[in-house]
Amino acid sequence: MNHESRITTRADPLRYLSDELDSLKQDGLYRHLRVLDGEQAARASVDQRSVVNLSSNNYLGLTTHPKLRDRAERATRELGVGSGSVRTIAGTMAIHMELERALAEFKRTEAAVVFQSGFTANAGTVSSILTRDDVIVSDELNHASIIDGARLSRATIKVFPHKDVDAARQILEELPRQPRKLLITDGVFSMDGDLGALPALCDLADEFGCIMMVDNAHASGVFGRNGRGTVDHFDLHGRVDVQVGTLSKAIGVLGGYVAGSRALIEFLYHRARPFLFSTSHPPGVAAACLAALEVLETEPQLIDRLWENTRFFKSGLQALGLNTGTGESPITPVIVGEATLAMQLSDRLLREGVFAQGIGFPTVPRGKARVRTIVTATHGREDLQFALDCFRKVGQELGII
Ligand SMILES: Cc1ncc(COP(=O)(O)O)c(C=O)c1O
């Protein structure tokens, strides 16, 4: 049999994937990737259309900040484009250590470790600090990276309803005293924009002797003094054992980190699998992150502007009679119910010049599909007013308003 006939007669073992895709299409959940033609910015070009961009996590506009660009460029010229190894072999450069010291200082902890992403920071930490003998008590809306880390740890996973501290207490009361327990919440929930029940969970952690962990991916750079996150916002310093943050959202670059005690960080250096088995950041990434931390200290007006824009836009959506859920952060969902309607709303908004992604099951529960909006410090008032006018027009057209 020649090569060609072998190719044509072979049954496709991945055929079931096409079937899955067909069913996504039938459910109105099939998505084309939207392509940015230029920079990630408040006014952007998406699929060759000029839009007000309400879809990024670029809260402070740092993806295009001149200081970050300069430092990344300089580090790339001086140190090259890659680190060439995993951290534990030859991939720890002085600039990686400098970034970890700066993050620990920023978070007011003894030490910090940087991962390749917020996802690997969560998954790598939860999976390495717990074992099959332990228990994880987790908010039902915690991020996928926490869920995956919990599964990888093989610990018993107990999920409490969203922000239901009484239910978390009941779970803890019913557990035997011996197993090690991790109590874990997002600082800000990414699909609803509400804050985790951190102060009350810290009280529970104290009472039941739990390890307390928070994922501040959407809170760092947004909440707390100079964007130090929810631990600072709620004044809980010293009461949260494991603080995760991302360098990919408000910080504007790429990566994740864990801040905590020196022993925690040293342990992660030895046991966190993404740290051990995946190459470290290029020096330009670390340099840009260092510059971002300086910007947080020297340009707090960016955070003020983020919050002014948040208040203006959220109240504008509410005045239109849209269901904005329980958001308390720059993330404001517009909840419409069925996924097909959310996707229709998103598509129509894009045609009008507003980029706000539709989100359906399984990212959010069935019947709670939405268009998620995120404002940034770099949106102008006219951008946000334009977006509100488009929401009014399209909302009325689709019978949402
Ligand atoms: C709550 C939360 N945690 C962690 C992450 C992962 O962060 P990164 O994009 O840096 O991997 C995200 C990003 O979507 C997130 O929303």
Side-chain angles (χ1 to χ4, degrees), residues 100 103-105 107-113 212 240-244 257-266 268:
E100 291 183 345
L103 284 166
E105 200 172 305
K107 288 283 171 173
R108 308 264 193 267
T109 57
E110 273 178 21
V113 50
M212 185 70 228
V240 177
D241 306 290
V242 188
Q243 296 186 51
V244 168
Y257 58 92
V258 178
S261 68
R262 168 62 52 198
L264 169 70
I265 302 313
E266 295 262 324
L268 294 174

Side-chain angles (χ1 to χ4, degrees), residues 303-357:
I303 302 178
D304 295 341
R305 214 171 307 139
L306 171 67
W307 280 103
E308 280 161 26
N309 280 347
T310 298
R311 282 188 287 274
F312 175 78
F313 193 64
K314 210 182 278 285
S315 61
L317 288 174
Q318 285 161 354
L320 292 175
L322 293 163
N323 176 3
T324 58
T326 52
E328 302 164 84
S329 71
I331 301 172
T332 309
V334 173
I335 301 169
V336 297
E338 289 313 310
T340 40
L341 186 56
M343 301 311 164
Q344 250 181 319
L345 175 60
S346 170
D347 289 344
R348 277 291 293 111
L349 285 168
L350 188 69
R351 262 186 275 147
E352 295 294 326
V354 176
F355 180 32
Q357 277 285 14

Side-chain angles (χ1 to χ4, degrees), residues 272-284:
R273 292 168 73 81
F275 186 86
L276 292 165
F277 296 111
S278 184
T279 296
S280 55
H281 281 149

Side-chain angles (χ1 to χ4, degrees), residues 117-119 122 143 145 186 188 190 215 217-218 246-249 255:
S117 68
F119 195 104
N122 269 329
H143 190 255
S145 52
D186 279 6
V188 171
S190 56
D215 170 12
H218 287 275
T246 173
L247 301 165
S248 335
K249 301 188 193 298

